[in-house]
Structures are given as structure tokens and as C-alpha cells.
Amino acid sequence: MRIAVTGGGPGGLYFAALVKQGDPAHEVTLWERNAPGDTFGFGVVLSDETLGGIEDADPVVHRALADGFARWDDIDIHVSGQVFTSGGHGFAATSRARLLGILQDRCRDLGVDLRFGTEAPPVAELACGHDLVVAADGVGSATRTERAEAFRPGLRRHRCRYIWLGTDLHLDAFRFEVLQTEHGVMQLHGYPYSADAGTVIVEMREEVWRRAGFDRMDERQSIAACEKLFADLLAGHPLRGNDSRWIAFTTVRNERWYDGNVVLLGDAAHTAHFSIGSGTKLAMEDALALAAALREHRDQPVATALAAYEAERRPVVESTQRAATASLEWFENLGQYLGQPGWQFAFNLLTRSRRITHDNLRLRDPAYVAAAEAEFAEAGTPPMFTPFRLRGLTLRNRVVVSPMDMYSATDGTPDDFHLVHLGARALGGAGLVMTEMVCVSAEGRITPGCTGMYAPEHEAGWRRITSFVHERSGAAVGLQLGHSGRKGATRLMWEGMDQPLPGEQGWPLVAASPLAYRPGLNQVPEELDADRMRAIRDRFTASARMGAAAGFDLLELHCAHGYLLSGFLSPLTNRRTDGYGGDLPGRLRFPLEVFDAVREVWPEQRPMTVRISATDWAEGGNGVEEAVEIARAFAAHGADAIDVSTGQVTPDERPEYGRSYQTPFADAIRNRLGVPVIAVGAVSSWDDVNSLLLAGRADLVALGRPHLYDPHWTLHAAAEQAYAGPGVDWPVQYRAGSRRPQTGRRL
Ligand SMILES: Cc1cc2nc3c(=O)[nH]c(=O)nc-3n(C[C@H](O)[C@H](O)[C@H](O)COP(=O)(O)OP(=O)(O)OC[C@H]3O[C@@H](n4cnc5c(N)ncnc54)[C@H](O)[C@@H]3O)c2cc1C
Ligand SMILES: Cc1cc2nc3c(=O)[nH]c(=O)nc-3n(C[C@H](O)[C@H](O)[C@H](O)COP(=O)(O)O)c2cc1C
């Protein structure tokens, strides 16, 4: 094959060496606009896993690389005059110049035609004259831009500026330094890459960068200013630049990675924020996968190999990008955590990408985790088994059974199904068991199967359930009250979620504005006038009174998921021109009136929470800033905690699903406002629950579907963590099963 490679970074060079090594008959030419000795940046971190991959693929490169690595285990976090050290991490780094030098030598030895100091020819020309064109031309890839229609790139520029510098200071750990300055917070990421050289990245929010005057400084002035700011750390050691500039990190994604015989590799295809140290690793792993795919499909058209390469790499890259985005956003919002105690800030930083967890950290450094646990409650007590107080209610642990509609009631009355369903989950060990959305009127139901609290038999049915929970379990039981608004009169979930009921089975809908959930499919609701709003508010208070009489410990007002009150909060569904629409205070007015009225009749000692959709995941809708303001308003009116969900407000939402994907919203509310939060959504392991709590990203964690999978989720979490304290009690009837079933004979 005739192969053209544009770009002599680690991705391009490593690919060229591997493909030539795999088949010396290939004619491989690489263009690099810089001279061989030029390099930007200083050290790169590679994991043992990447090095293992290199060892298998090319022992020559591995041998040359391996003995020049700086290796270390610790992460030191310097914040508010304190230092927290977590060990056992296992890092290895080397200088980028050395890495490139080794790869260049290897390419030369294998006979790759290296053309340094030469701009690559246009891609159209290369694509005609070669069987394959590998675009490894970095984050600013001209190939990607030229073929944007085929690759469909998405570039997202982020909110911090950073500069990449070098130092001769001997660093013996990954070092994070947080500096509070008159301009705002700045952070330094530092790591060694040889015995006497280290990389230093200084990063801050764009507005802080401007206030500090960095936008008007050249490289030399920036270096001098950074030396002054971080003088304590540097202890007189100078910082060095290498054509260093202040950059805003850009996350690069492409919908396709190849077009005909042209393929993207490394930063040209995807970027991952430097704080998880993966860019070089991803580029080199791409190179390996592409070389392997070409070899495995050598008898097939080149497109087959390119498709196999993309299929193999895309999921790995996307997963790394999700972790990198979480890490990047954590650093962007670092200021919101400065109110946390130092130990918690440090734990939060270590677990920021949601990849490293409480349990991972315990394996790496048990003493570090024990010290953090001791600060939180008691060393050896998993954070999830610590109590939490909301007004007069003390929950025995931090696990909540999230509200889940079962669509199984007749005329709103909860029956044996609801008793067994909620009763089983109360016996299963959670601290708080929430009902599904209980509707304040027949017209406020989502489906004919929804439960209600508007008739005497409803109150009696619910009292039977709360009595069971109180008499037979240590759980508290909460009532979620809501009204369906424009999402009402639909079929049971398993007969068609959000699908309107046929003809006469439906009922007229009301909402903030006369906008159908799905125009042409769902009914157009009638816009509520002041009288009908008052009537609905009164329905909420009547239901709240019945709920108190029925014995519920907590009341949650459902202001999420596009139902009636949520419909008032979102600008996408509230187009009113009276005092109940317009800006956020206007949109909040009716939900707050309902909250106040309910709070008034709900017993003083019993807490109230509010569930919100913290983002609409849609253009022009609410986002995190609005969520913080909505939470602030409800907290000011007496909400004891905010239950932070997202979305389901409009059908054209584009949620960014992923592990615990809604928790950053809960985190922002908790840490910016100091208001307790319930985090929810795609949290499924007890390790994640412990991590969220210890990092101070949530006060309580609600799990929905995991409780459908396993009603005894909390009991099992206790057994798996060998926890036997007061945070959960195995029902006496079940104690014989309180350990994992034995699989063999034991002494
Ligand atoms: C501050 C910072 C810290 C980082 N730290 C780490 C780390 O610790 N660990 C890690 O794994 N990664 C790290 N990275 C990421 C890493 O630098 C990149 O992800 C990696 O270099 C990508 O390799 P690449 O080969 O795809 O692209 P690059 O290394 O960017 O190489 C692209 C090459 O193409 C050349 N080129 C571009 N266009 C043309 C053209 N038209 N003609 C000829 N040549 C061209 C460029 O000159 C360049 O040499 C960091 C990045 C930054 C910004
Ligand atoms: C079957 C089902 C019914 C649900 N019904 C409700 C509900 O009545 N009220 C509510 O606020 N959320 C409801 N939800 C959302 C859950 O409370 C929870 O927020 C969501 O499932 C995400 O958490 P998970 O990933 O742990 O399941 C429901 C979810 C499911 C799966």
C-alpha cells in the first residue's frame, strides 16, 4: 500500500512505525510541518495499560521508552493552606520530546519516509495518489475542516484558559494547587516527567484570566506573572515556556472518522481534557488499532479496515471523553467547592471524573479513605449508612427509593399491589421510600392507572401502606404530590408512554400555556386562568392535609418532568404574558404559591422537598443557572431539600446520558447554595452512592430502576460491605439470609 500520514505527533509517528513494521512492503510517507527537534509542551503521562499495549505491539519502542520514565504514586492536593495526599495511583511520565525522538528513530530504522519542516499536501491530492491517508494532524486538523461535510465535526470550546509550562523543580507527586486570588480562583496542575523536570499547567476561568490581565500579556510576561502567583510552590525555581500560549480547551468529536480512503486519528478525531492525561494515550491506542485493523483486513477493501477501526475505537474514546468532560467541568466549577472542608474538597477532586470511586481509592490508599470517612462520620462506616436529618425527621441512611409510577391503581386508589410494592422496598433497607406521583385530582392523573389523594378511600389506602412501613420497617415514607398538566390523559406505560388515550377515554387537559406535548398527537391543553389556578392550588392543599392524616413523613412537590408545575417553570412550555410567565420570577410564581399553600397545611415538623428538572436538555430551555435560581427560591420558601432530576419537559430533548449524569446539577445546587439535595439518575452501585456522599455532591441518593431490579438493594449493599451497624436493619424474619449465600463448605 501507499500510505500518507499527515502530522508527526505521537499518533502519526506511532502509526507509521507500526504499519511499516507490520509489512515492510508498504510505502509510508509522513509530513510534519515542524523540525524534528521542535516540540510543544513538556511531559506526557502514560498509564501502565498503554505501556503494556506498546510492549505487545513493538518491544523495540517499549524498551527505548521504559527505562526513561519518571514514576510516582501520590497525588498531593494543596488547598486553603492544607495538604492532602492520596497514594497508590501509579503514574509514569516522560517528556514529549523524548517520546517523539524515540518514535522518529523507530520510523527511520523501519524506512518510513519522514518529511520534516514540510507542510502536508492538500488532502484531495494525497487521497488520489495514495491507497490510504491518515490524518494525524492534531486538534486543529486541516483535513477535518476540509472534509467537514463527511466527518461532521462538533467542536466545543470550554470556559477556562490554560498555559502549558515547564519547570526544573523536583516534583514527587501529581500536584494540584488551588490559589484564591483577588481576581478569582486559579489552579495549577503539576507533574514530574524526569528527575529534574516537571510540567506545570496553570488554569483559570476565562473571566478570571481577563481580570488578572493575562489577555494582555505575552509569553514572557505570563510566565513572570505565574512565577509570582505560585512563588511558594516554585521556591525560586523558574518556569519555562516553549512557545506557550493561553489556550481554551476544545473538545473535538466527529460523527464519522473516515471518508473514502481518508481516516482521522488522535486529536484530529477526538480530544480529551488534559486533566485526565489521556490525549497521547488515545492517539497511540488509535494508531495501534488502525495498524491492526489494516493487517486483519488486508485482503479486503481499505474501507472495511477503516470501519473496523472506528467501530473498535469509538466506544472507548467516547467513554474517555465522558470522564474527561466530567473532569473538565469540575475544574471549570472548582470555585463552587471552596466552601467544602479541605478533606472533602480533596476527595471530591480525586473522584471528579466519576471513574475513580470511594472503593477504588480505598484499594489504592486505605488510610486516606479511612481518614475521610472519619471526617464524614465514623471510620469504617460506609457513608451511605450514616443518618440524615430533615426537620423533625431523621432518616436511618442516605438511600431513597425514587418515586416510580406503577400505573396500577383503579380510580386513584392504592391497593394490595402498592402495599406489597412499597412494603417490600421499605423492608429492603432504604432510609426513605417515596410513593409514585400521587395526583391531586382525577383530571390531574397521567393515566387511568395513577394513584390519587382526592377521595376518602385514597387516604385510607395510603394509611394502610404508611402503617405497614412504620410498624414493620425502619424506613420513612414520603408522598410525592403532583398534577399531570399537558402530559395527562395518556395510556398506561406499557400500552404506550405519553400516547394519548383513545377518544372518549381521555379528559380535557390544562397547562400554563395552550401547547400540546407533541403537536398533532397529544391534546392541546387549555391555558389556566387565575380562578382555576386557585382551585388547583386548593386541591394540592387538600391532598397535603389528607397525606398528613394518612401518616406520611415527608411531602415532595413534583415540579419536574413537564407536568403541570414543571410546565410553569420552563420557558419552553410557559408562554404566558400575565404575571405567571415571562422571566424566571414570573414562571416561579405559581409553583411557589402552591408550595407556600402546601407548606402552610403540612405539619411543621415534617419536611418538604421539591423535585425539579434541572435542565430541559433543549435549546432555549432551563439549564443549570436557572436550576440554581429555582432551588434558591424554593429553599427560601422553606423547602428542606431539592430532589434534582432533569428533562422530560419536551419530547425533542437531547439528554447527555451516562453514569450518574444528573449529579452535576445536584452538586451545583448543593455547593453553590448550601441547600441539601437528593441526587438521582443512573446511579446503580453502592460504591457510587458512597462516592457522591463523601465528595459532598449529594446529601441523599435516590435510586429508581435499581429498586425495581432488587427491592432489597440497600440490604444487599450492607451485606456486600460487611456493614452491620444501625444504618440498616435486616428484618428479623430475613436474618438467616443476611449474608451472601454460601457457594461451598466453610469452616
Ligand atoms: C496542556 C496539555 C497537557 C497534556 N498532557 C497530556 C498528558 O499528560 N498525557 C497525554 O496522554 N496527553 C496529554 N496531552 C494531550 C496530547 O498532547 C495530545 O492529545 C497528543 O499530542 C495527540 O497526539 P496527535 O498525534 O493526535 O496530535 P499532535 O501531537 O497534536 O500532533 C499533530 C502534529 O501534526 C502536525 N501538523 C498539523 N497540521 C499539519 C500539516 N498541515 N502539515 C504537516 N504537519 C502538520 C503538527 O505540527 C503536530 O506535530 C496534553 C495536551 C495539552 C494541551
Ligand atoms: C417506571 C418508572 C416510573 C417513574 N415514575 C416517576 C414518578 O412518578 N415521579 C417521578 O418524579 N419520577 C418518576 N420516575 C423517575 C425516577 O424517579 C427516577 O428519577 C429515574 O428513573 C432515574 O433514576 P434511575 O436511573 O435510578 O432509575 C419513574 C421512573 C420509572 C423507571
Side-chain angles (χ1 to χ4, degrees):
M1 280 174 93
R2 295 195 71 218
I3 301 175
V5 181
T6 61
L13 286 168
Y14 191 45
F15 169 76
L18 286 173
V19 81
K20 186 77 181 161
Q21 180 200 249
D23 188 346
H26 289 323
E27 216 177 278
V28 185
T29 312
L30 181 148
W31 284 265
E32 167 55 54
R33 61 159 71 110
N34 294 321
D38 290 352
T39 180
F40 301 104
F42 299 87
V44 289
V45 180
L46 294 176
S47 66
D48 287 344
E49 190 193 350
T50 314
L51 286 172
I54 295 175
E55 184 171 16
D56 288 343
D58 188 347
V60 179
V61 169
H62 184 261
R63 256 195 312 280
L65 267 177
D67 34 278
F69 268 99
R71 291 181 182 275
W72 73 96
D73 283 330
D74 287 355
I75 300 179
D76 285 349
I77 296 159
H78 295 240
V79 59
S80 316
Q82 294 169 284
V83 185
F84 299 89
T85 299
S86 156
H89 295 276
F91 294 107
T94 193
S95 85
R96 177 170 159 107
R98 182 170 165 271
L99 171 67
L100 294 184
I102 290 168
L103 294 173
Q104 288 164 8
D105 289 347
R106 184 69 179 136
C107 283
R108 276 190 209 96
D109 290 349
L110 290 163
V112 175
D113 178 4
L114 295 176
R115 301 192 184 170
F116 286 103
T118 316
E119 196 72 24
V123 61
E125 192 182 306
L126 290 175
C128 283
H130 295 82
D131 301 303
L132 172 67
V133 181
V134 178
D137 47 353
V139 60
S141 171
T143 314
R144 188 184 63 224
T145 311
E146 254 173 65
R147 298 232 168 165
E149 266 181 36
F151 297 130
R152 294 192 294 278
L155 306 186
R156 195 165 142 215
R157 193 173 177 275
H158 299 278
R159 295 156 79 175
C160 280
R161 290 283 182 144
Y162 69 90
I163 190 166
W164 202 354
L165 302 168
T167 173
D168 59 3
L169 174 73
H170 174 69
L171 292 163
D172 54 5
F174 223 118
R175 180 157 177 159
F176 292 103
E177 180 113 5
V178 178
L179 198 67
Q180 297 187 53
T181 74
E182 56 185 307
H183 310 295
V185 61
M186 302 178 183
Q187 58 263 20
L188 176 148
H189 314 235
Y191 52 91
Y193 64 84
S194 72
D196 56 1
T199 297
V200 159
I201 300 163
V202 178
E203 187 193 27
M204 65 201 74
R205 285 280 283 250
E206 173 113 14
E207 59 273 20
V208 177
W209 177 75
R210 286 187 196 286
R211 281 199 292 271
F214 283 119
D215 55 335
R216 299 182 296 278
M217 293 183 201
D218 62 17
E219 183 184 17
R220 198 181 45 79
Q221 291 166 321
S222 292
I223 290 174
C226 289
E227 282 172 345
K228 211 162 140 196
L229 283 163
F230 294 97
D232 284 352
L233 157 74
L234 294 167
H237 291 265
L239 289 174
R240 280 184 289 121
N242 184 347
D243 195 18
S244 303
R245 274 169 291 214
W246 290 99
I247 308 169
F249 191 83
T250 302
T251 298
V252 174
R253 293 187 172 87
N254 284 277
E255 285 184 30
R256 282 196 63 182
W257 291 6
Y258 69 95
D259 174 36
N261 62 346
V262 180
V263 64
L264 301 174
L265 182 148
D267 274 12
H270 47 71
T271 57
H273 191 242
F274 59 81
S275 58
I276 64 161
S278 294
T280 307
K281 166 185 154 71
L282 289 180
M284 293 183 74
E285 289 172 357
D286 281 359
L288 187 52
L290 180 57
L294 288 166
R295 198 177 174 145
E296 282 154 20
H297 300 278
R298 58 181 163 264
D299 300 327
Q300 287 151 297
V302 76
T304 310
L306 302 187
Y309 154 73
E310 180 174 339
E312 178 182 332
R313 293 298 294 157
R314 185 181 279 285
V316 180
V317 164
E318 286 180 350
S319 160
T320 305
Q321 283 187 312
R322 276 195 294 278
T325 303
S327 176
L328 172 157
E329 287 175 353
W330 194 93
F331 281 108
E332 279 185 350
N333 296 314
L334 179 149
Q336 76 191 20
Y337 304 116
L338 290 173
Q340 291 190 327
W343 67 267
Q344 188 162 58
F345 179 92
F347 183 87
N348 195 349
L349 189 154
L350 291 166
T351 54
R352 67 191 179 279
S353 73
R354 308 201 283 274
R355 283 288 176 78
I356 294 183
T357 61
H358 175 251
D359 220 33
N360 295 153
L361 277 179
R362 200 213 319 271
L363 286 177
R364 292 168 199 225
D365 189 345
Y368 173 81
V369 170
E373 282 176 359
E375 294 278 1
F376 189 78
E378 229 174 286
T381 298
M384 64 181 285
F385 291 117
T386 54
F388 192 69
R389 198 179 159 90
L390 289 162
R391 275 189 202 230
L393 175 69
T394 301
L395 303 175
R396 61 182 167 173
N397 64 50
R398 307 294 187 104
V399 180
V400 178
V401 176
S402 203
M404 282 182 288
D405 206 333
M406 294 289 109
Y407 310 100
S408 298
T410 309
D411 294 331
T413 310
D415 59 22
D416 288 356
F417 175 85
H418 303 85
L419 173 69
V420 172
H421 166 67
L422 294 169
R425 276 137 196 93
L427 292 175
L432 173 65
V433 177
M434 291 300 302
T435 66
E436 61 195 44
M437 173 169 119
V438 175
C439 307
V440 297
S441 61
E443 316 74 61
R445 288 175 302 164
I446 309 167
T447 73
C450 292
T451 52
M453 189 68 101
Y454 50 86
E457 57 274 24
H458 299 165
E459 186 184 316
W462 286 116
R463 192 178 310 107
R464 185 164 163 247
I465 293 169
T466 64
S467 301
F468 176 87
V469 172
H470 291 143
E471 286 161 22
R472 297 299 186 106
S473 84
V477 55
L479 167 68
Q480 187 187 57
L481 275 188
H483 184 298
S484 57
R486 72 170 184 164
K487 289 175 78 178
T490 59
R491 298 171 197 235
L492 305 183
M493 182 175 65
W494 46 89
E495 289 174 1
M497 184 102 170
D498 299 327
Q499 297 291 326
L501 285 167
E504 66 294 349
Q505 289 178 36
W507 55 84
L509 302 182
V510 294
S513 297
L515 301 167
Y517 180 62
R518 274 171 308 194
L521 185 60
N522 297 88
Q523 213 185 104
V524 179
E526 199 178 325
E527 177 172 315
L528 282 171
D529 62 18
D531 283 346
R532 294 179 79 185
M533 280 159 68
R534 260 194 304 279
I536 288 181
R537 183 199 62 196
D538 293 347
R539 278 280 4 118
F540 270 94
T541 52
S543 298
R545 280 204 178 89
M546 292 166 79
F552 282 104
D553 301 300
L554 174 150
L555 189 149
E556 176 163 287
L557 194 61
H558 196 346
C559 297
H561 302 166
Y563 297 114
L564 184 77
L565 298 178
S566 163
F568 272 84
L569 292 173
S570 170
L572 299 175
T573 47
N574 182 341
R575 299 281 167 77
R576 299 177 74 96
T577 51
D578 61 3
Y580 289 98
D583 59 7
L584 189 53
R587 303 200 306 272
L588 264 161
R589 192 167 152 200
F590 183 57
L592 285 173
E593 283 179 7
V594 173
F595 180 90
D596 289 342
V598 170
R599 185 60 269 181
E600 180 94 18
V601 302
W602 184 244
E604 171 70 23
Q605 278 310 300
R606 298 191 208 171
M608 268 186 76
T609 58
V610 177
R611 179 167 263 208
I612 62 168
S613 284
T615 173
D616 295 337
W617 298 117
E619 197 68 31
N622 284 333
V624 67
E625 297 307 323
E626 287 78 14
V628 169
E629 291 317 310
I630 291 169
R632 191 197 301 279
F634 279 113
H637 283 242
D640 299 289
I642 307 296
D643 183 357
V644 189
S645 185
T646 67
Q648 299 175 46
V649 173
T650 68
D652 51 357
E653 64 181 1
R654 300 193 63 184
E656 290 167 23
Y657 290 121
R659 179 168 161 191
S660 53
Y661 70 109
Q662 297 178 151
T663 55
F665 299 94
D667 180 353
I669 290 169
R670 182 180 193 275
N671 288 297
R672 288 208 223 161
L673 303 179
V675 171
V677 294
I678 305 172
V680 63
V683 180
S684 56
S685 72
W686 46 259
D687 189 21
D688 283 340
V689 175
N690 285 329
S691 305
L692 290 168
L693 295 169
L694 204 53
R697 292 191 204 126
D699 298 282
L700 295 166
V701 181
L703 295 95
R705 289 161 296 176
H707 276 115
L708 298 182
Y709 181 73
D710 178 4
H712 294 168
W713 190 89
T714 308
L715 293 181
H716 292 156
E720 284 165 22
Q721 295 173 86
Y723 172 76
V728 70
D729 218 7
W730 277 82
V732 281
Q733 300 88 338
Y734 294 174
R735 282 212 180 128
S738 66
R739 283 193 297 166
R740 265 180 177 285
Q742 284 182 211
T743 48
R745 191 166 179 283
R746 291 206 193 126
L747 271 181

